[in-house]
Amino acid sequence: MGESRLYREGPRTLWAFLRVGVAHPRVNRFGAYTGGGFSGRGWVPGRPADRMGLAVAAAHNSSAYRRLQRQQGTPVHRTEWVFEGTYLLALSTALRLQFDLQWVLHPDTRAGSVLVGGLRLLWSP
């Protein structure tokens, strides 16, 4: 829904973002989405091009979906939460390596949690 630069001094920059979405609850499983976080560049000494970010996201089951699941005897939570941290390492102007770690609470809005990691190599000549 929005993004804004909060701070900039030399190579250091800090952004914040917020996203909100809604869907028709009788048609879509998830009736709403909310998410937000912060991202920054240049905060690690000697690494002005590196980026990092922290975010939280929530997918909210619609009331119609929760009602249907209760009728079928399937327990579900109202919301799936995702907490994420990422770091983009600028190896050169063309090559970057991104690390990502996510903790998902109530994956698929079921009981439990899972920790997910990822690694991505980006090349732009």
Side-chain angles (χ1 to χ4, degrees):
M1 191 159 197
E3 182 175 320
S4 181
R5 184 176 64 205
L6 301 177
Y7 177 83
R8 183 175 184 179
E9 184 178 313
R12 290 184 177 175
T13 308
L14 179 66
W15 294 273
F17 67 91
L18 177 65
R19 293 186 181 103
V20 177
V22 293
H24 194 287
R26 298 191 78 194
V27 178
N28 295 287
R29 172 186 175 175
F30 295 107
Y33 165 86
T34 51
F38 298 94
S39 65
R41 181 180 64 215
W43 290 89
V44 176
R47 311 263 342 144
D50 288 5
R51 293 177 173 256
M52 62 183 79
L54 294 172
V56 62
H60 311 279
N61 278 326
S62 69
S63 56
Y65 179 80
R66 290 192 319 270
R67 186 172 45 257
L68 178 63
Q69 294 304 301
R70 276 195 307 273
Q71 290 171 354
Q72 295 176 355
T74 306
V76 294
H77 288 269
R78 181 179 298 266
T79 304
E80 173 186 281
W81 292 92
V82 180
F83 303 90
E84 179 178 15
T86 186
Y87 191 88
L88 182 73
L89 182 65
L91 301 171
S92 71
T93 56
L95 189 62
R96 300 176 191 279
L97 186 62
Q98 184 175 11
F99 304 90
D100 188 75
L101 189 62
Q102 298 178 6
W103 178 53
V104 183
L105 179 60
H106 308 306
D108 194 34
T109 64
R110 309 284 182 204
S113 65
V114 63
L115 188 63
V116 180
L119 185 62
R120 182 168 69 162
L121 185 63
L122 300 119
W123 180 62
S124 6

